[in-house]
Each structure stands twice: as C-alpha cells, then as structure tokens.
Amino acid sequence: MTYESIIGLEIHIQLNTRSKVFCACPADSWGALPNTNICPVCTGLPGVLPVLNRAVIEKAVLLAAAMHCEIQPQSFFDRKNYFYPDLPKGYQITQYDAPIGRRGWFDVPLPGANGAPSGETRHVTIQKMHMEEDAGKTKNDPLRGRRSPSGGVRLIDMNRCGVPLVEMVTGPDLRSADEAAQFLIRMRQLLRWLDVSEANMERAHLRCDANVSIRVVGATELNPKTEIKNVNSIEAVKDAIEKEIERQVKEVSAGRRVEAWTLEWDEDTQTLKKMRSKETEADYRYFREPDLLSVIVADEWRDVILSRLPELPLDRRDRFMEHYKLPAYDATLLTEERSLSDYYEEAVRLCGAGGDPKTVANWVQNEILRLINEMSITAAHLRFTPAHLAELIKLVEAKTITRQTAVALIPKVIATGKAPKALVEAEGLVQISGDDALRAVARQVIAENPEQVAAYKAKPTLLKWFVGQVMKKTQGKANAQAAERILQEMLK
Ligand SMILES: [Zn+2]
C-alpha cells in the first residue's frame, strides 16, 4: 500500500506592535528580566479593564488581506477558560466563533529537486484567522529544583502575558513535511514583508502546531489525526512531521488504528512524546468577553489599512521575470526580502535607459547579498546605496575601472561614505587599457621572469600567470583582455 500524508498547520504569530494587546506594556520583552514587563491589566489583577490596541487590529487586517481572507466587518472577543499557572486571569481573551478573518488562501511555491524554483505551487486554504493574547511562561528552576525533595520548583514569568498574537488555521492541504517547511519559510517572508511581525522562530514570534494523518493514496476520507505541539524551528517542524508520518504508516501497516493523540516534540532527543489527552472545546467554556466591545472594521477604516498593502512577494517575483526579463532563480532571490527588491529596482532605475537589468541583478546577487549576509543587516540598512551601485556599474560598463577595482571599492565607499567616482579620481584607479602603458608593464614582467618565459614555449597555459603578474603590478587596474592580447604578442 502507498500512503499519502495530510497535514494542516495552526500558526501563532506575534505581532510587532509597540505595546501589548490590552495594556500599554511593551509588546516585546526579549531579554528582559522575568516579570519586569507587566502591569495590573496583563497580570489580571481585580478591578482592571482591558483596552484594545488599535494597531493590533490594523496589522491583523493587513495580514488577513494578504492571505486573501474575507475581512469581517464585525468580530468578537471571547473568554477561553482554563487553569494553568502561566495564565493569571484563569482565562485567555481570544476570538472564537466570530474571528476577524475567514476563508483565505496562500499559494506556496515548491522547490524542485535541486532547490531551484519548480514553478509549481501548493494552494493552501486558510480556514480562519483570529486575534488573541499570549499566556506567560513556566519553567523549572534547576538550582532550587535540585534541593527540593518534591522534585523541583516551577517558576512563572508573566512578561509574555498579553503579547498580541494572530492565530491562523490552515485546511488539511499540505502533503509532506517538506511542504510544511516551505509554508513556514514563505509565511516568515510574508510577515516581514508586511512588517506585521519580526517572525523570528527562536524568539517564539512564529510558532507552529501540526495536525498529521495518513491515508491510502486515492482515498478521500480523513483518518484520525495527531497534533504535534511545541516545535520551534522550521527544521524541527520538518523532522517532527517526518517521524510522525513514519510512525503512523508503521501502525496502520501492522493493522492498528492511529489514535488522536497530542504529541510533544522533544528537541534534545529528537522524539515525539505523548502529552496529556487534549481538552475538548466544551472544556474551555467559551463565552463572549464582557469587558470589550465588538470589533467593528468599517469600510473607510478598512480601505485606509488596505491602502498600505504592498505588492506581495510572488506578484513582485512574477513582475521581475516579466518586466526585467530575469530568470526565475534571480527573480526569486531578489524578492526574498522587501528592502532587497526595493534596492534592486532603485539601482536599475538609476542605471538609466542604457542599463541592463540582468547585469544589475548579478551585482546585487554576487556583491550586495554577500555583504548584507556578512553584516547581518537588510538592504535598507546598507551604507552602500543603490545610487552607489548604479554609479559603480556605469564606471565598469564605460571601462573606466576594472571589475576587480569596482569590487574592491565597495568596502571603501562604506568606510568613507564617499561616492565611487570620487574615490576613483582621488586614488587614481582608472583602468589601464592603453597599449603603450600595458606594453611597458608586460615588458617588465617578461624581463623579470626568464624561467617562466622559457617554460611558456612548452606550456601556453602559463599565459594566465603572466596576466596575473600584470594585474599585480597595476593593483588590478589593467584591462585583463588587453593585457592578455599584448602578452600573447610579446611572448611569441
Ligand atoms: Zn501590561
């Protein structure tokens, strides 16, 4: 029997608003000491009332629109009741049966065998999208735990209480662990593109639970699924789903049934462990949050928010292929991150009518991408601007400087803040391409290396070595093609 896997994801996204969802505490408390970023509202002290953060709705609506969701003109907050030490109110404020977004979709491009774009996409439906507050964190205290006869002390950090989240539930549309990983990679890209989340998985800005089941290929029914929780990197999501598919195939092949367990991924041992049996919806005793009004997104407000929706990554990729005639590989790479796409387009524009978009793409991919990766910044923060790049490309195209000189100029521009042209003039970097000047250098190289000259007769590939010597003597300023031609003549 051949089986296929059916995967749906539940994603929690931490919005990058300045303050929490119902109080004025900063939303991001990464690196803060435990319980230093809290107030009476987010810790649920008696007598306080939540006040909804307008920016949370705006970011949620923007994201819902990018996922092609129907944005609900009226939605409601509810209380989800459960008892856990990290939930000081005894309930979580969330949206239940009337969420802000419904029925959307997200197309995920699938890579081919060699990692290059395959041109195929997986159409993933989004069942619903809602806003909610995060809970706190509990952890074991290793120091006091060792001394405690009862087996340890649990510590509570409430800094995360009230951090704004959007939860998104996909349909059972993904078909492999790889596809789930691709979904998360594209989701992370989109969240940063829209500036709604930092989407850093290590900092829990993007969290994912996966529902996994299998069925015989060709069947249409859905079998009982298991839910994998607590996976906090894209690699871990992939590993955990792969392990779980393997386990289910083994169970079913042995004639056993898969039971609807909740599983927890253990990063250290790379195994799935069965958790407590899952609460059912009824256990949460949902009811409308009486302290908040319903959320009304009137047409005018919605239109203002949607006017900020940028061209989406895949649309921009397609436009780059169409308009600039870039190959899919280049267009995909240049639209990985929004400020990089902006950088590229600005450089093309500044190169003017005579500029070749593919040449600019090569420069951005080879030099600019390497730099921003080395410096761990985005293109928006690079001190070597699109105007600098356009100027540099023009200098190379006009044969004023060599490519080698141009590449060496980039760190100098960053260090001094001076434009490439000014540096070329100040440092005398103009390319040496006149035959007389090159002949003089070549003559010197030949005179200084009689052994290589003798060896050249038997081994013509040594020509490259001579070109290298000429480049060395001119600090990379020699026109390499001209130098090669002249050396060939002189060594005959
Ligand atoms: Zn607070």
Side-chain angles (χ1 to χ4, degrees):
M1 291 270 208
T2 322
Y3 296 95
E4 67 172 353
S5 40
I6 314 292
I7 301 160
L9 302 177
E10 272 178 48
I11 321 269
H12 285 90
I13 295 151
Q14 178 177 333
L15 299 177
N16 60 353
T17 52
R18 286 220 324 263
S19 51
K20 291 183 179 180
V21 55
F22 301 123
C23 64
C25 295
D28 193 4
S29 49
W30 179 256
L33 288 170
N35 300 310
T36 55
N37 188 23
I38 55 176
C39 74
V41 175
C42 52
T43 50
L45 295 187
V48 297
L49 288 171
V51 178
L52 180 56
N53 180 348
R54 191 182 169 90
V56 170
I57 306 172
E58 293 183 345
K59 296 212 179 224
V61 167
L62 198 64
L63 179 55
M67 309 297 293
H68 315 92
C69 282
E70 296 164 16
I71 294 154
Q72 304 301 303
Q74 184 176 29
S75 66
F76 292 90
F77 278 101
D78 298 272
R79 287 189 183 180
K80 179 180 182 178
N81 299 279
Y82 64 94
F83 288 99
Y84 203 72
D86 64 12
L87 193 70
K89 293 200 294 285
Y91 59 84
Q92 179 192 24
I93 303 179
T94 180
Q95 294 195 300
Y96 180 50
D97 56 348
I100 187 107
R102 288 180 187 277
R103 289 178 290 272
W105 53 266
F106 187 45
D107 275 347
V108 181
L110 301 176
N114 52 2
S118 70
E120 281 174 40
T121 54
R122 174 64 72 196
H123 185 74
V124 181
T125 55
I126 307 296
Q127 295 175 339
K128 62 171 190 163
M129 187 185 289
H130 71 247
M131 301 177 283
E132 64 183 25
E133 61 176 341
D134 206 351
K137 265 194 315 200
T138 62
K139 61 172 187 179
N140 286 316
D141 180 355
L143 290 177
R144 271 177 286 181
R146 235 178 285 142
R147 275 181 260 128
S148 158
S150 64
V153 174
R154 295 286 279 175
L155 298 177
I156 301 169
D157 176 7
M158 293 196 276
N159 281 350
R160 287 197 71 91
C161 290
V163 164
L165 303 179
V166 161
E167 184 184 319
M168 200 187 286
V169 182
T170 79
D173 301 317
L174 295 159
R175 289 290 171 272
S176 70
D178 275 327
E179 289 187 12
Q182 284 304 317
F183 179 93
L184 288 172
I185 289 168
R186 291 299 163 183
M187 180 58 65
R188 184 175 60 186
Q189 174 194 27
L190 181 72
L191 295 171
R192 291 175 180 166
W193 190 280
L194 298 173
D195 188 28
V196 297
S197 172
E198 303 306 309
N200 185 335
M201 281 188 100
E202 287 79 60
R203 296 189 183 182
H205 296 154
L206 178 58
R207 285 172 270 166
C208 170
D209 300 336
N211 291 308
V212 181
S213 66
I214 58 163
R215 69 182 173 203
V216 174
V217 170
T220 50
E221 87 285 355
L222 291 174
N223 289 320
K225 63 189 179 195
T226 53
E227 186 179 3
I228 305 172
K229 286 201 169 284
N230 196 24
V231 266
N232 47 22
S233 73
I234 290 172
E235 267 316 293
V237 170
K238 216 176 114 186
D239 292 345
I241 293 175
E242 262 163 16
K243 284 250 162 76
E244 177 54 12
I245 292 169
E246 231 171 79
R247 186 189 71 85
Q248 291 192 12
V249 169
K250 213 181 273 176
E251 287 294 295
V252 173
S253 306
R256 290 188 288 266
R257 269 181 71 81
V258 170
E259 284 177 69
W261 289 344
T262 299
L263 303 163
E264 188 179 30
W265 178 245
D266 187 326
E267 189 71 49
D268 297 331
T269 58
Q270 299 275 302
T271 52
L272 288 159
K273 287 181 186 154
K274 195 176 158 186
M275 288 172 80
R276 55 179 162 66
S277 66
K278 213 188 159 195
E279 287 94 347
T280 63
E281 299 279 276
D283 295 330
Y284 290 125
R285 294 166 295 119
Y286 283 97
F287 61 87
R288 287 273 183 264
E289 167 59 61
D291 290 342
L292 287 167
L293 295 167
S294 68
V295 180
I296 308 278
V297 181
D299 291 354
E300 306 82 64
W301 188 25
R302 190 197 57 209
D303 293 346
V304 169
I305 300 170
L306 296 192
S307 69
R308 293 178 218 141
L309 188 67
E311 184 182 25
L312 298 178
L314 289 187
D315 297 335
R316 200 162 192 184
R317 182 202 65 184
D318 293 347
R319 184 168 60 78
F320 277 15
M321 291 167 67
E322 172 90 21
H323 185 71
Y324 299 120
K325 309 284 178 243
L326 293 182
Y329 178 85
D330 298 50
T332 302
L333 204 62
L334 292 172
T335 52
E336 281 298 319
E337 192 265 321
R338 190 168 154 195
S339 76
L340 184 71
S341 315
D342 293 342
Y343 189 104
Y344 169 71
E345 288 213 272
E346 181 65 359
V348 171
R349 192 182 67 78
L350 292 168
C351 276
D356 170 29
K358 175 62 179 147
T359 304
V360 181
N362 291 344
W363 275 92
V364 173
Q365 281 161 236
N366 295 329
E367 305 305 331
I368 304 304
L369 259 181
R370 185 179 50 78
L371 266 179
I372 61 180
N373 287 339
E374 272 172 21
M375 300 165 87
S376 298
I377 54 172
T378 61
H381 297 100
L382 190 64
R383 286 186 61 196
F384 188 82
T385 63
H388 289 144
L389 180 62
E391 198 177 302
L392 199 70
I393 293 173
K394 281 186 197 167
L395 288 167
V396 175
E397 299 284 294
K399 303 212 187 318
T400 309
I401 56 172
T402 63
R403 207 196 130 80
Q404 204 177 345
T405 304
V407 171
L409 266 178
I410 297 175
K412 287 184 192 165
V413 172
I414 293 175
T416 62
K418 285 186 185 144
K421 215 170 188 169
L423 283 170
V424 167
E425 280 158 19
E427 300 193 11
L429 299 173
V430 173
Q431 163 164 261
I432 305 169
S433 54
D435 282 11
D436 292 346
L438 284 175
R439 212 164 261 138
V441 181
R443 201 172 297 129
Q444 213 181 336
V445 169
I446 289 169
E448 284 168 9
N449 299 285
E451 283 172 33
Q452 273 77 8
V453 174
Y456 172 74
K457 313 278 177 208
K459 201 177 166 199
T461 50
L462 263 181
L463 187 64
K464 291 274 177 231
W465 181 85
F466 283 100
V467 175
Q469 294 304 303
V470 169
M471 293 308 268
K472 216 172 179 180
K473 276 210 186 296
T474 57
Q475 279 105 46
K477 288 185 286 181
N479 177 313
Q481 284 153 333
E484 190 170 327
R485 174 173 51 76
I486 286 166
L487 281 161
Q488 211 163 12
E489 280 168 26
M490 294 177 72
L491 283 164
K492 253 186 212 155

